[in-house]
Amino acid sequence: MAGYDDRDGMIWMDGKMVDWRAANVHVLSHAMHYASSVFEGERAYNGKIFKSREHSERLHFSAGELDFQIPYTVDEIEAAKAEVLATAGLRDAYLRAIAWRGAGPDMGVASARNPVHLAIAAWEWGAYYGDAKTKGAKLDISKWKRPSPETIPVHAKAAGLYMICTTSKHAAEAKGCSDALFMDYRGYVAEATGANIFFVKDGEVHTPLADCFLNGLTRQTVIGMLKERNVTVHERHIMPEEMEGFQQCWLTGTAAEVTPVGMIGDYTFEVGALTRDIGAAYEQLVRS
Ligand SMILES: Cc1ncc(COP(=O)(O)O)c(C=O)c1O
């Protein structure tokens, strides 16, 4: 299987479209050594990127959290994303925008003088969790915890926060699971490695308070959809033992969309009516 570095097409890089295989960075880039990189995952449906501007704004916010400024405005990023989609001729696509500190005069931890770069690529990408989308995903419980907001900028979508996501997901996949669920530094249920989590109990929805992890745009959209349907949503701290009493569970994320969860560790959930309704309504919304 060809790697993601070995594809036909064009990638927008620092203001121009470059050949896909030539969109490279130097090994002495600051981001490679110190994780000074922030990114967005976005999906286009019928030629329109869902919550496009919100993603570009979050990219700027994340860069700010890492003390760098992206040298392109939100409007310029919006135009670049449109150009990427048009060049690729894609209407349904996943987009990845990434900004990072490059190579420059500084090779130590401080790098204020190194240039900041931005690249945007798009490709076709189906269901993130494969057939779990219909059957319900199986999640492992990670040995790692989502960190305290006092230790790292937890609301940034920053590369450094994914170190434990990769290792947790590897461990989960080795056990035949689709993903891993993190508890947070206090022991509360937090999120999966690339998605937020929701539970249903007696017709009401419970979701962890996003006070130490990414408050996903899909999470916010789904909460809005539930409230519009007069479903009570409790955003609160959730203890892991509470999962015993929850009847349904789903994940939300740009890549994951709304994916039902059938099992977390030894806890089981049904792919119930509310999960299916919200999943179908989300699909309709993103295409409307
Ligand atoms: C760690 C993490 N949490 C949550 C999410 C969901 O965020 P969003 O719905 O904005 O895609 C993502 C995906 O971007 C993620 O990587």
Side-chain angles (χ1 to χ4, degrees):
M1 208 167 110
Y4 271 88
D5 58 344
D6 185 19
R7 290 179 159 224
D8 295 331
M10 306 293 279
I11 289 178
W12 187 100
M13 203 166 170
D14 293 332
K16 44 185 195 295
M17 301 298 294
V18 301
D19 185 83
W20 192 285
R21 294 178 182 83
N24 300 318
V25 294
H26 197 273
V27 291
L28 295 183
S29 294
H30 191 268
M32 279 277 286
H33 299 257
Y34 307 112
S36 48
S37 147
V38 296
F39 64 99
E40 280 302 317
E42 313 182 29
R43 275 192 194 267
Y45 300 90
N46 294 336
K48 186 164 174 273
I49 302 170
F50 185 63
K51 305 268 176 198
S52 185
R53 202 170 180 86
E54 289 89 335
H55 280 287
S56 298
E57 284 167 355
R58 187 168 71 183
L59 191 67
H60 265 263
F61 164 79
S62 299
E65 291 287 278
L66 269 65
D67 202 26
F68 68 81
Q69 195 172 4
I70 297 169
Y72 300 93
T73 63
V74 166
D75 283 337
E76 286 167 338
I77 298 172
E78 289 300 290
K81 291 191 294 193
E83 190 184 348
V84 167
L85 279 183
T87 305
L90 289 171
R91 292 184 58 74
D92 286 281
Y94 179 84
L95 286 96
R96 175 57 58 92
I98 181 157
W100 71 98
R101 279 198 193 278
D106 294 319
M107 197 44 219
V109 170
S111 73
R113 295 179 300 171
N114 288 14
V116 173
H117 300 277
L118 176 67
I120 303 164
W123 59 89
E124 282 181 74
W125 214 13
Y128 184 64
Y129 291 112
D131 64 0
K133 192 92 191 265
T134 44
K135 293 201 302 200
K138 205 171 136 192
L139 308 190
D140 184 31
I141 296 179
S142 174
K143 68 172 185 178
W144 297 104
K145 308 285 182 229
R146 270 306 182 211
S148 154
E150 290 178 346
T151 60
I152 201 159
V154 293
H155 298 296
K157 194 165 164 66
L161 284 154
Y162 288 83
M163 185 174 71
I164 56 173
C165 297
T166 298
T167 56
S168 300
K169 195 155 173 169
H170 285 173
E173 288 181 348
K175 294 178 196 168
C177 295
S178 309
D179 202 356
L181 175 69
F182 288 107
M183 304 304 144
D184 73 16
Y185 65 105
R186 298 159 296 195
Y188 298 130
V189 175
E191 60 166 354
T193 64
N196 295 118
I197 193 156
F198 288 76
F199 299 98
V200 181
K201 186 179 182 181
D202 302 332
E204 298 193 345
V205 170
H206 302 256
T207 189
L209 198 60
D211 60 0
C212 67
F213 54 82
L214 199 70
N215 181 7
L217 294 170
T218 320
R219 176 185 183 277
Q220 295 173 47
T221 303
V222 164
I223 289 174
M225 288 164 60
L226 289 162
K227 289 186 173 165
E228 267 173 31
R229 285 166 171 69
N230 292 320
V231 175
T232 304
V233 181
H234 304 276
E235 290 183 72
R236 62 176 182 87
H237 291 142
I238 296 173
M239 290 302 291
E241 308 79 70
E242 291 186 62
M243 290 196 281
E244 182 72 50
F246 293 146
Q247 295 130 2
Q248 299 176 43
C249 175
W250 68 75
L251 298 173
T252 64
T254 298
E257 299 169 308
V258 175
T259 299
V261 174
M263 197 177 224
I264 302 176
D266 293 331
Y267 303 109
T268 55
F269 311 94
E270 52 154 346
V271 180
L274 186 57
T275 306
R276 282 197 302 269
D277 286 355
I278 287 296
Y282 181 77
E283 243 167 71
Q284 215 170 26
L285 177 71
V286 295
R287 293 187 175 278
S288 64

